[in-house]
Amino acid sequence: MGFERTFSIIKPDATRRNLTGKINAKFEEAGLRIVAQKRIHMTKEQAGKFYEVHSERPFYDELCDFMSSEPVIVQVLEGESAISKNREVMGATNPADAAPGTIRADFAESMGENSVHGSDAPETAAIEIAYFFSGIELVG
Ligand code: CMP
């Protein structure tokens, strides 16, 4: 583990409801530092490339439509064991299974509209960060 960086997205269901500050507060309270952050509106093609690993899944088209429907906040979080810590703070993918106090328990609307995305491993974190940010945009 050690000191890590992970990639995070605050999804359209959360930006629409003006929840970005409340979600960032949960990251910061958990000891994660936001070292890069920007608000973007992805095209469906950009969302499709980001989620390419899910391209054979039945929910892929709906996922890409949703992620390109409205602006998102893409961000890089840094800290001790940042990848697993972020996944703890997010809670389970399905909000019905998410532990109390997690972002998805408090804010997610459904399995698809689940407020946040976070990298699942160091390799994917590196790929996902590089998809949205250049090195000089990461300010630790
Ligand atoms: P995320 O961590 O962004 O990675 C893939 C996303 O697909 C996931 O969160 C969910 O929001 C979305 N999704 C929609 N339906 C499903 C499903 N049945 N199983 C897993 N993920 C799903």
Side-chain angles (χ1 to χ4, degrees), residues 3 6 10 22 34-35 49 74 80-81 84 87 136:
F3 206 67
T6 191
I10 301 180
K22 286 188 173 145
I34 301 162
V35 297
K49 190 162 186 322
V74 291
E80 191 61 35
S81 305
S84 60
R87 293 179 73 77
I136 58 166

Side-chain angles (χ1 to χ4, degrees), residues 111-130:
M111 172 93 103
E113 305 205 359
N114 63 354
S115 302
V116 280
H117 163 84
S119 306
D120 60 3
E123 300 72 31
T124 42
I127 292 167
E128 292 177 357
I129 290 169

Side-chain angles (χ1 to χ4, degrees), residues 44-123:
K44 187 170 179 180
E45 289 66 34
Q46 288 167 337
K49 190 162 186 322
F50 178 75
Y51 279 117
E52 207 161 31
V53 63
H54 295 303
S55 61
E56 301 302 318
R57 309 282 287 274
F59 56 82
Y60 179 66
D61 194 57
E62 193 182 329
L63 174 63
C64 297
D65 275 337
F66 169 60
M67 292 301 288
S68 58
S69 65
E70 289 185 69
V72 299
I73 308 292
V74 291
Q75 49 192 187
V76 180
L77 310 177
E78 183 180 86
E80 191 61 35
S81 305
I83 295 167
S84 60
K85 188 174 283 178
N86 181 39
R87 293 179 73 77
E88 265 171 47
V89 175
M90 289 195 297
T93 304
N94 186 344
D97 301 329
T102 60
I103 292 169
R104 285 166 171 162
D106 285 359
F107 303 127
E109 300 194 301
S110 65
M111 172 93 103
E113 305 205 359
N114 63 354
S115 302
V116 280
H117 163 84
S119 306
D120 60 3
E123 300 72 31

